[in-house]
Amino acid sequence: MRLSRYFLPTLREDPAEAEVVSHKLMLRAGMIRRLASGIYSFLPLGLRALRKVENIVREEMNRAGAQEILLPLVQPAELWKETGRWDKFGKELLRFKDRKEHDFCLGPTHEEVITDLVRGEIRSYRQLPLILYQIATKFRDEIRPRFGLMRGREFIMKDAYSFDANEEGLNKSYRLMYETYERIFSRCGLRFTAVLADTGTIGGEESHEFMVLAETGEDVIVSCPSCGYAANLEMAEAVQNFSYPEEEEKTLEKVSTPDVKRVEDVAAFLGVPTWKLVKTLIYLVDNKPYAILIRGDHELNEVKLRRALGAEVVEMADAETVERLTGAPVGFAGPIGLSGIVIIADKAVAGLKNFVTGANEKDAHYINVNSPRDFEIDSFYDLRNVTQGDLCPRCGKPLELTRGIEVGHVFKLGSKYSEAMGATFLDRDGKEKPFVMGCYGIGVSRTLAAAIEQNHDENGIIWPLALAPFHVALLTLGPGDQELFEASEKLYHALWEKGVEVLWDERDERPGVKFKDADLIGLPYRIVLGKKFKSEGKVEIKPRTQKEAFLLSEEETINFLASEIQRACQSK
Ligand code: 9G3
């Protein structure tokens, strides 16, 4: 491709609306353009890179024996009513009516659609296992779309669904998909890890997330360097790596703490460490009020809370509800004297002596609080986020917390959808059985953004070779120099013939502009035909990851690049 004719509108400056580096660079490198909030157009350079991700996904899914289909984006409400999800999801599910006033939604996922398709066609266990997948557009009306393709409303997902006759079959399909994901992300040239994950609203009993490691990632990865345990924050088990000093229970005392509410301020005001202060968080759990006790230096994990109580929805009570239930404004809530509210606590609260809580009275706290003397705790659960230094629940060594971007998520669904939709098959002794399902997603467009979050520098993108929109930027310097132009053209065609994808910058621009754009769009190799070529017949080659260029003849250049590309890009 010749740059002078290529629709590649690069930008000098970071656009104001972009907050994260991948969003900035994808706009500046002319890969995408915003159509509306969370909705992006792919320009030629962006689409070439997107197709590289899709093709690796497709090759590996096909290698695993999965079969590609294409499902509609527009979905009839009836299917979602069969599973009860039509009313369960809020505004994130974009609903609309057609001209006959029939209800539809834009598909945020396709469990209902695929189960409906399979229940109509597959009747016998002999036709199982079956894994179907698509690579297509999804729509989720996120309340706050941001970060470009990282959290868009319209995005491209590979979603696969497995159908087995029993649990054992599902375990095989799940393991096959898990291993396929490892191959996919390895071939993409990304540093990633798989972590134990919560099954969320989808239900089912086990799931793993695949995370691209990146400091700017929104997700926290909890891992043990010693035994390999890895989980996301919602699943990482917090173990007690401490025991409290034995203390006599002192007399309960109410103290005035005028307008002192934040944990750090209360602790400082009363001269106690923050772990001696117990927060009382008022939550509505499926609309039932709970008081959740958690140590002042710990954070509640709402997904752990939901899972511990087997609830559908957990949400923090608003200030007015807190006031009504506790008799005090937020910041002074406490467990003593509460009525009609279940009191539960994180496990780290057990054994605490003479601690501090709100007094359920404005500007007042209690000190020397002890349970069960002063109030009863109904039950204890693992409700807190693990923190740096917590011990591994498997081997007891210190855990590490790092950050990542979720790009894949695999779930064991079981028969949740097949039972709800009467999707059954005849097993070998002729009995009707519901399919045992799994579902497996990859955020294809998000993977592109994650690759840039993980691989960039101050000058721009640094493409992993397998995902690069082109392999080589060919820069011809000295505008109007016929010899350089003809040599470049010959090299350009010779490289394409060897499978090396070249973007040729033959524009009538100063060298500095060409070098800056080459660094910005970040192709793996930059080759230059300029002075050195005129004087010594040498081509300057600089890998994007290295500072220094080296010189090769035209012949050596072709052989070097052809072998580099073939080595890295062929599916192993
Ligand atoms: C909805 C809306 C948003 C959603 C869902 C449903 C996430 C929903 C979970 C999944 C599970 C897997 C197949 C591919 C991999 C992920 N957000 N999920 O079910 F109506 Cl608005 O999508 N589905």
Side-chain angles (χ1 to χ4, degrees):
M1 181 49 66
R2 296 175 57 164
L3 199 47
S4 63
R5 302 182 193 139
Y6 199 46
F7 178 36
L8 179 61
T10 54
L11 305 171
R12 275 277 152 271
E13 303 302 322
D14 287 344
E17 88 255 21
E19 295 165 76
V20 297
V21 67
S22 59
H23 190 192
K24 292 176 182 168
L25 290 177
M26 292 182 90
L27 289 168
R28 284 191 54 211
M31 293 178 64
I32 59 172
R33 282 292 181 271
R34 178 186 180 280
L35 176 63
S37 168
I39 300 177
Y40 289 85
S41 306
F42 279 88
L43 306 191
L45 194 75
L47 186 61
R48 282 184 68 92
L50 182 74
R51 293 287 187 250
K52 296 282 175 97
V53 178
E54 287 180 358
N55 290 339
I56 290 172
V57 169
R58 181 170 285 115
E59 276 176 21
E60 293 303 328
M61 290 298 291
N62 293 345
R63 185 202 303 259
Q67 300 176 56
E68 187 171 8
I69 57 174
L70 181 59
L71 301 171
L73 171 65
V74 173
Q75 303 185 10
E78 289 74 9
L79 293 180
W80 286 73
K81 288 176 179 168
E82 284 190 52
T83 58
R85 297 213 294 174
W86 182 254
D87 300 312
K88 194 176 139 198
F89 284 90
K91 292 199 160 80
E92 196 187 352
L93 182 63
L94 184 58
R95 302 167 174 85
F96 59 96
K97 288 179 180 303
D98 71 1
R99 62 190 311 166
K100 295 180 185 144
E101 296 292 302
H102 292 158
D103 289 318
F104 289 87
C105 67
L106 290 187
T109 184
H110 282 71
E111 278 80 7
E112 282 80 1
V113 170
I114 195 75
T115 305
D116 172 58
L117 174 67
V118 168
R119 72 178 168 185
E121 309 299 338
I122 302 290
R123 297 303 310 143
S124 158
Y125 74 96
R126 274 189 288 270
Q127 297 168 286
L128 302 175
L130 175 67
I131 303 181
L132 302 172
Y133 78 96
Q134 65 167 344
I135 301 176
T137 301
K138 293 269 184 292
F139 194 91
R140 293 177 183 176
D141 203 354
E142 297 272 352
I143 194 162
R144 248 196 95 200
R146 51 197 180 136
F147 303 162
L149 298 187
M150 290 260 274
R151 184 169 294 283
R153 289 194 288 169
E154 178 177 312
F155 55 96
I156 294 172
M157 183 197 276
K158 183 284 299 174
D159 45 325
Y161 304 86
S162 63
F163 297 85
D164 280 279
N166 52 43
E167 207 72 20
E168 184 201 346
L170 168 59
N171 290 339
K172 272 178 68 182
S173 296
Y174 187 87
R175 194 170 37 256
L176 173 62
M177 286 292 101
Y178 187 103
E179 288 160 3
T180 301
Y181 276 43
E182 289 182 316
R183 295 175 58 90
I184 287 170
F185 295 117
S186 301
R187 280 190 59 193
C188 287
L190 298 173
R191 293 182 302 288
F192 69 93
T193 183
V195 299
L196 276 172
D198 179 64
T199 53
T201 56
I202 192 85
E205 61 274 5
E206 180 186 349
S207 90
H208 286 84
E209 281 169 351
F210 284 76
M211 304 278 200
V212 163
L213 305 177
E215 280 315 302
T216 55
E218 283 189 312
D219 298 289
V220 174
I221 298 162
V222 177
S223 57
C224 175
S226 308
C227 75
Y229 171 80
N232 69 12
L233 210 48
E234 285 80 21
M235 283 300 274
E237 209 183 309
V239 295
Q240 309 309 80
N241 57 348
F242 44 74
S243 58
Y244 298 115
E246 266 307 306
E247 288 179 42
E248 282 303 305
E249 291 196 354
K250 295 177 193 155
T251 313
L252 181 70
E253 195 187 329
K254 189 185 289 186
V255 295
S256 163
T257 50
D259 202 25
V260 184
K261 334 182 231 204
R262 277 168 21 86
V263 165
E264 292 73 14
D265 302 338
V266 173
F269 185 84
L270 299 173
V272 298
T274 49
W275 60 265
K276 269 272 190 184
L277 195 137
V278 171
K279 297 182 279 195
T280 304
L281 308 173
I282 306 296
Y283 266 77
L284 297 177
V285 176
D286 288 345
N287 286 320
K288 195 169 158 239
Y290 274 71
I292 321 283
L293 305 187
I294 195 155
R295 237 172 62 178
D297 58 332
H298 288 158
E299 289 304 317
L300 170 69
N301 184 296
E302 291 188 353
V303 173
K304 282 189 169 184
L305 175 63
R306 185 171 54 70
R307 197 169 60 238
L309 298 177
E312 285 282 307
V313 179
V314 300
E315 55 203 340
M316 187 179 261
D318 59 25
E320 182 268 329
T321 309
V322 172
E323 190 109 26
R324 179 165 50 78
L325 292 171
T326 68
V330 176
F332 297 98
I336 297 175
L338 282 186
S339 59
I341 302 185
V342 177
I343 299 175
I344 64 173
D346 174 66
K347 286 179 181 169
V349 172
L352 258 181
K353 292 283 177 218
N354 302 317
F355 52 90
V356 174
T357 68
N360 284 332
E361 193 182 306
K362 192 170 177 339
D363 297 341
H365 280 78
Y366 279 118
I367 61 173
N368 303 330
V369 179
N370 288 284
S371 171
R373 182 192 71 187
D374 305 327
F375 70 97
E376 292 277 334
I377 292 176
D378 193 82
S379 36
F380 291 89
Y381 301 96
D382 170 11
L383 301 175
R384 70 183 177 90
N385 282 334
V386 300
T387 54
Q388 204 73 36
D390 266 314
L391 301 184
C392 172
R394 282 222 188 112
C395 77
K397 296 281 191 329
L399 288 171
E400 272 175 21
L401 270 60
T402 49
R403 289 200 164 268
I405 301 163
E406 179 195 340
V407 290
H409 200 160
V410 292
F411 297 77
K412 287 182 182 174
L413 286 179
S415 50
K416 170 180 168 149
Y417 288 86
S418 46
E419 273 168 14
M421 298 180 72
T424 60
F425 65 95
L426 286 176
D427 70 6
R428 70 182 62 238
D429 39 24
K431 280 178 42 208
E432 292 270 353
K433 291 280 187 64
F435 295 110
V436 182
M437 293 171 61
C439 63
Y440 317 88
I442 289 179
V444 174
S445 42
R446 177 185 274 189
T447 296
L448 211 52
I452 295 171
E453 288 292 329
Q454 184 183 83
N455 303 284
H456 67 272
D457 65 12
E458 65 282 0
N459 301 317
I461 301 169
I462 302 177
W463 283 111
L465 195 49
L467 303 187
F470 293 92
H471 302 129
V472 171
L474 167 59
L475 277 53
T476 305
L477 306 186
D481 183 316
Q482 201 48 31
E483 182 203 352
L484 282 180
F485 184 88
E486 280 164 14
S488 302
E489 191 165 34
K490 194 157 102 351
L491 185 56
Y492 173 82
H493 290 300
L495 285 168
W496 269 101
E497 267 153 38
K498 291 266 188 171
V500 179
E501 299 166 10
V502 185
L503 180 59
W504 178 16
D505 188 350
E506 40 37 303
R507 292 174 299 171
D508 187 355
E509 289 281 359
R510 286 179 297 100
V513 168
K514 297 192 176 189
F515 284 110
K516 265 197 177 308
D517 275 351
D519 282 346
L520 173 62
I521 66 177
L523 302 181
Y525 296 92
R526 182 193 77 197
I527 60 178
V528 172
L529 267 71
K531 285 200 199 68
K532 283 276 189 301
F533 187 78
K534 299 275 288 180
S535 57
E536 304 166 39
K538 295 289 185 187
V539 179
E540 283 174 58
I541 299 182
K542 193 183 87 58
R544 176 69 177 81
T545 52
Q546 288 167 27
K547 279 253 169 298
E548 297 308 312
F550 52 87
L551 299 174
L552 291 179
S553 71
E554 288 160 287
E555 197 59 32
E556 289 161 340
T557 300
I558 294 165
N559 295 333
F560 168 74
L561 289 172
S563 63
E564 285 292 297
I565 304 318
Q566 269 142 34
R567 190 166 50 77
C569 286
Q570 302 318 321
S571 64
K572 295 172 184 68

